[in-house]
Amino acid sequence: MRSIIEMAPLQVYYSGLLFTPLSSLIRAGYLKSIPWVTMEPRVADIWSSLVQTLEGHTSYVKSVVFSPDGKFVASASEDNMVRLWDTATGKQYAILEGHTFPVNSAVFSPDGKLVASASWDETVRLWDTSTRKQYAVLRGHANFVNSVMFSPN
């Protein structure tokens, strides 16, 4: 592949140009200078802001939060689970299971070592992000727990 690019770099560049969005300034400026293009492919009008789609929950996602270092995302769902995702790859890092009802909220501790989750099962659960295991269950609420937060210190 590298030898083809080294032999014909403009053809590779032009081929990529064909797939840029219709409103792209680069497309507008250079596409007509490609003599061998007789039919352009159908492409989007603008660049999409979508970077990744994280798929895995089987019900509504209620909360999404980034870890303090930005390396992970936690998502809380009505499927009774919290999932951790690697932001660089979009791959699922962990499934945190233990709640018996929908999870409304999840948040990382300031150091990123714990995730707290709040659920309709009247508990707040703490999860260790390195072991991916439940660290503690906080009981005592008389009804749904809708939100959870860590103190900054």
Side-chain angles (χ1 to χ4, degrees), residues 42-108:
R42 207 176 328 172
V43 295
D45 291 334
I46 59 172
W47 291 105
S48 171
S49 60
L50 178 66
V51 176
Q52 290 179 340
T53 301
L54 307 176
E55 296 182 272
H57 284 292
T58 58
S59 191
Y60 298 110
V61 174
K62 305 282 285 191
S63 172
V64 177
V65 63
F66 280 93
S67 63
D69 63 6
K71 292 182 180 179
F72 294 98
V73 166
S75 55
S77 171
E78 286 192 2
D79 64 8
N80 306 351
M81 290 181 248
V82 175
R83 293 176 189 255
L84 301 182
W85 309 87
D86 182 312
T87 57
T89 64
K91 301 265 190 246
Q92 187 173 273
Y93 173 74
I95 300 174
L96 308 179
E97 294 180 275
H99 285 291
T100 56
F101 284 92
V103 183
N104 292 315
S105 177
V107 66
F108 283 92

Side-chain angles (χ1 to χ4, degrees), residues 2 11 16 20 22-23 36 41 48 62 65 70 74 78-79 88 97 101 105 111 114 121 123 126 128 136-137 145:
R2 181 177 174 180
Q11 284 81 351
T20 60
L22 295 174
S23 65
W36 44 267
S48 171
K62 305 282 285 191
V65 63
E78 286 192 2
D79 64 8
E97 294 180 275
F101 284 92
S105 177
D111 63 6
L114 295 175
D121 66 10
T123 67
L126 300 176
D128 184 309
V137 180
V145 185

